[in-house]
Amino acid sequence: MTQDGDLARIEFSYGITPEISAGLSVRYLDTSVSLDGLGLPPIPPPFDQFLNMRIITPALVAAWDRRDDTIYPTRGSNLQAEISHSYTLKGVTGDYSKAFVNYTHYLNPTAKGVIAARASICGASQDTPFFDQCSLGGTDAFRGFPVTQFLDFRSASLQIEYRHQFTKRIGAVAFGGVGQTGDSFSDLSDGGTHSAVGLGARYRVSKKFPVDFSVDWARNDLDEDQLYIYVGQRF
């Protein structure tokens, strides 16, 4: 199954205080879902109703940011929340809503070490398309699973990472996490608890700013491996 399309997002936030901000975001998504090869049977329900969709999603966003640095934080915390309602402009599904909260805390136990921990929860309404549902890796930056592997209307996860800077340029991380998805928060445990651990390498690309080129390897409880390459920190 292949999904492609066009995606655009704009966000405006106002600083109420130096630490607290709130604002509005708007996302536009025009997407289509198709099978990868010829001669395959049609896409079965309920996924067949999400084949061609055009969606616009306004959302309220808020943040309470007490980090000492926005690029490479070593102390403090960051609380982020978003509540959205999506309007279906094209497609057979109805409108739907979604909300999530991410809380991240940072500790600096040694001069060159940082501990980062994140707790996340997500909830979506029953009409939410599968590609917009809560998932491990979708809104919480969870590593170890493809974002479409564990999808449902509720999710919760907890992650922890240790970051160490060996030199001015070279660093490494070790991380782990556990998460659950389910039809409701009371049913999260029915699908089991999913976990992953991993290691990562960091190369600081700038002498002026603490921006890292990151490569992470993760192995999940199903003995599957995932590789992540990106710029910056995962959270």
Side-chain angles (χ1 to χ4, degrees), residues 79 176 182:
L79 178 66

Side-chain angles (χ1 to χ4, degrees), residues 56-79:
I56 188 166
T57 306
L60 296 175
V61 296
W64 183 22
D65 192 346
R66 303 180 67 190
R67 296 174 294 176
D68 61 343
D69 189 86
T70 58
I71 301 177
Y72 190 83
T74 61
R75 296 182 304 276
S77 61
N78 187 23
L79 178 66

Side-chain angles (χ1 to χ4, degrees), residues 114-129:
V114 176
I115 296 175
R118 167 171 284 191
S120 305
I121 58 172
C122 173
S125 63
Q126 293 293 320
D127 291 329
T128 305

Side-chain angles (χ1 to χ4, degrees), residues 129-211:
F130 71 93
F131 54 80
D132 229 359
Q133 291 177 9
C134 301
S135 71
L136 296 182
T139 57
D140 56 5
F142 198 98
R143 285 160 292 188
F145 302 96
V147 295
T148 56
Q149 186 165 355
F150 294 106
L151 294 165
D152 221 315
F153 301 113
R154 303 290 186 273
S155 71
S157 64
L158 179 64
Q159 304 170 74
I160 189 167
E161 176 173 288
Y162 176 71
R163 304 167 182 168
H164 193 86
Q165 201 69 27
F166 293 103
T167 69
K168 292 182 179 180
R169 291 283 193 178
I170 305 299
V173 304
F175 58 88
V178 294
Q180 297 176 329
T181 59
D183 188 64
S184 65
F185 285 119
S186 60
D187 296 332
L188 284 177
S189 60
D190 292 351
T193 300
H194 313 289
S195 61
V197 297
L199 299 171
R202 300 289 183 268
Y203 179 76
R204 188 141 299 177
V205 297
S206 171
K207 293 182 178 180
K208 187 175 182 181
F209 301 103
V211 178

Side-chain angles (χ1 to χ4, degrees), residues 102-119:
N102 292 327
Y103 176 75
T104 313
H105 197 84
Y106 303 90
L107 299 173
N108 193 200
T110 66
K112 296 185 177 181
V114 176
I115 296 175
R118 167 171 284 191

